[in-house]
Amino acid sequence: RRVLFRSDSVRIFSYFEDAESYVSFSAATKWSEKLAVGGSFKFLNQSLFTEEAEGIGFDLGFQYQHSRRSAFGLTLRDMFESLDWSTGRKDQIPLTVTLGGTVRLENGIQIAVDVLRRERERTAFKFGLEQWFWDRYGVRVGNNEGEFTLGASAKFDEWTFDFAYNDDDLGSIQRISMKRRF
């Protein structure tokens, strides 16, 4: 009886980081009593393992205030967006079109539903609930394309601070943002 042993060389690199960040400049204005439009210009940066990428992007959004308690919106995200990698590769970011609506109930809870479509992908859905306390602190819970989400906000004068948590297949995602309204 003969037993053969085979050994192939295996390389284990260890864990590595995928960090994505961006700085955006946004503005919005009312076109009429019920219709508003806004847009963002973004500077993008990503590092993956030992490589870096940079790019720019644009977002455009419209909101129609149907009544005091309901609104509808349309966004075009990642328009003409790409990442130029240090390797020479250029990645085109797919355009995402989102149609959504929100309704505020008598008790102050806001319900939001979004239907989104990315280029070359299937249609996805988002759902969420939000409640504000003392017009200063907000909490959110929802479902982002099948993944659990939650968040919190705090308003101080013209400043708003937001935290969002999204459970994802490859691990959790946390976002922290700060905005100033003027």
Side-chain angles (χ1 to χ4, degrees):
R1 180 169 178 203
R2 184 189 257 194
V3 178
L4 295 175
F5 292 97
R6 182 175 173 194
S7 174
D8 288 333
S9 176
V10 176
R11 291 184 177 174
I12 299 175
F13 290 109
S14 78
Y15 293 102
F16 61 90
E17 187 170 314
D18 176 11
E20 300 175 22
S21 61
Y22 69 91
V23 174
S24 68
F25 297 94
S26 304
T29 187
K30 281 193 164 192
W31 275 358
S32 69
E33 189 63 32
K34 292 188 175 254
L35 184 63
V37 63
S40 294
F41 178 75
K42 302 179 286 187
F43 295 99
L44 311 165
N45 185 284
Q46 183 173 355
S47 62
L48 177 63
F49 197 47
T50 61
E51 304 302 329
E52 297 278 331
E54 293 181 342
I56 59 171
F58 304 95
D59 298 338
L60 182 63
F62 301 90
Q63 183 183 39
Y64 179 75
Q65 191 70 41
H66 177 260
S67 70
R68 189 174 62 85
R69 292 197 174 154
S70 64
F72 302 96
L74 172 71
T75 62
L76 304 168
R77 287 188 15 234
D78 305 327
M79 296 176 12
F80 318 112
E81 197 165 301
S82 64
L83 286 171
D84 295 317
W85 287 91
S86 54
T87 61
R89 178 186 169 103
K90 183 173 188 164
D91 286 338
Q92 292 298 128
I93 309 299
L95 172 70
T96 301
V97 178
T98 304
L99 179 63
T102 181
V103 174
R104 185 173 306 279
L105 303 177
E106 290 284 337
N107 60 8
I109 293 176
Q110 186 167 330
I111 301 170
V113 176
D114 288 343
V115 178
L116 63 100
R117 176 73 188 237
R118 285 183 200 91
E119 285 181 293
R120 302 176 301 277
E121 292 185 22
R122 295 181 1 183
T123 301
F125 299 92
K126 296 181 179 186
F127 171 80
L129 302 172
E130 178 182 73
Q131 176 70 53
W132 282 85
F133 301 94
W134 308 287
D135 292 326
R136 184 174 292 262
Y137 306 104
V139 293
R140 290 174 292 286
V141 64
N143 186 304
N144 180 6
E145 301 181 52
E147 305 294 342
F148 173 73
T149 64
L150 60 92
S153 296
K155 292 181 184 178
F156 301 100
D157 299 320
E158 69 271 4
W159 291 94
T160 303
F161 301 90
D162 294 302
F163 171 78
Y165 170 87
N166 188 31
D167 195 22
D168 194 73
D169 292 338
L170 296 177
S172 65
I173 298 170
Q174 290 133 45
R175 290 189 174 99
I176 299 171
S177 65
M178 173 178 66
K179 342 181 233 204
R180 181 174 183 250
R181 186 176 284 249
F182 53 95

